[in-house]
Amino acid sequence: MTIMNMFRVALAAAALTFSSASVALAQAPTTAAAAAPAASGPLKIGYTSVEYVLSQMPESRQIETDLKAYSTQLENQLKSKYAEYQTKAEAYQKGAATMTDVVKADKEKELTTMQQSIQEFQRTADQNLQQKQQTLLKPALDKLQKTIDAVSVENGYTYVLNSDGASPVLLHGPKEGDISDLILKKMGVTPGAAPAAVAPKVNTPVTPAVNTSATKTKTKTKK
């Protein structure tokens, strides 16, 4: 998965978080209306695309840059581990015929351990990248929530729904109810600016298994 695709997944996940909160609000308008003073007037409901707003925020470009740098760091570490493994695997294959059974078994065990270590690093690297992404996104999400609150108060919106997701909270609404641009302007962002560019794909080397079946057969028959 590319860095930008992972970033978009994170934006979608963030949008779903906002959707959950919106659902809770949307389920209780009757109670809220009953509790509100009669002079408060009719409910005013607006909506926004959280994913769109996040992608337009200048923070998104910096988040993507930081994610790319962190991903490159992890990739370089993985390549270093793989290069060391490859060097030792080639040395083993070249010298296996002249090794004693004890040395051969020790080398095979070392290669297996290195292989398992690389595979574990690949797994944890993915998890670490996702955690890094969540950490970088949090300030932007907090800023977005505060801005939504401010825009809602200033423009008299009782509820603001999120239009993102496969099952969006909002199924239909007039254009004038879309406050996405109001939110961006409140943050000093010009709506419609080009989002961050797609980052290049990070290729992860695949660790091959070391074929030691031939040497093990010779080990069993050697006297």
Side-chain angles (χ1 to χ4, degrees), residues 14-151:
L16 288 176
T17 300
F18 273 77
S19 291
S20 298
S22 299
V23 169
L25 288 174
Q27 289 175 342
T30 304
T31 303
S40 62
L43 295 178
K44 185 178 181 181
I45 300 177
Y47 63 92
T48 183
S49 167
V50 172
E51 186 175 350
Y52 161 73
V53 174
L54 282 172
S55 69
Q56 295 289 304
M57 293 169 63
E59 289 88 340
S60 67
R61 193 175 295 275
Q62 185 59 50
I63 290 172
E64 186 185 355
T65 298
D66 292 345
L67 278 176
K68 181 180 177 182
Y70 185 64
S71 176
T72 300
Q73 177 185 343
L74 293 176
E75 183 183 4
N76 289 339
Q77 292 177 13
L78 182 58
K79 284 181 177 179
S80 177
K81 288 177 176 289
Y82 179 69
E84 182 182 4
Y85 168 85
Q86 214 170 19
T87 299
K88 292 191 176 184
E90 290 173 358
Y92 166 83
Q93 291 170 349
K94 290 179 180 178
T98 60
M99 294 179 185
T100 63
D101 293 349
V102 174
V103 172
K104 188 179 296 184
D106 184 64
K107 295 294 183 182
E108 289 173 0
K109 182 179 180 181
E110 181 183 14
L111 289 171
T112 299
T113 299
M114 291 181 70
Q115 190 176 30
Q116 293 172 345
S117 176
I118 291 173
Q119 292 170 347
E120 179 61 26
F121 184 87
Q122 288 175 314
R123 286 191 292 268
T124 58
D126 289 339
Q127 295 173 1
N128 291 340
L129 189 59
Q130 291 175 3
Q131 291 174 357
K132 181 72 170 179
Q133 189 176 58
Q134 292 172 1
T135 299
L136 292 172
L137 270 172
K138 189 178 185 307
L141 292 174
D142 291 343
K143 178 181 178 180
L144 175 57
Q145 182 62 65
K146 290 180 181 178
T147 307
I148 289 175
D149 293 340
V151 169

Side-chain angles (χ1 to χ4, degrees), residues 152-167:
S152 299
V153 172
E154 291 173 3
N155 295 272
Y157 286 97
T158 311
Y159 297 103
V160 174
L161 309 180
N162 182 21
S163 58
D164 294 325
S167 300

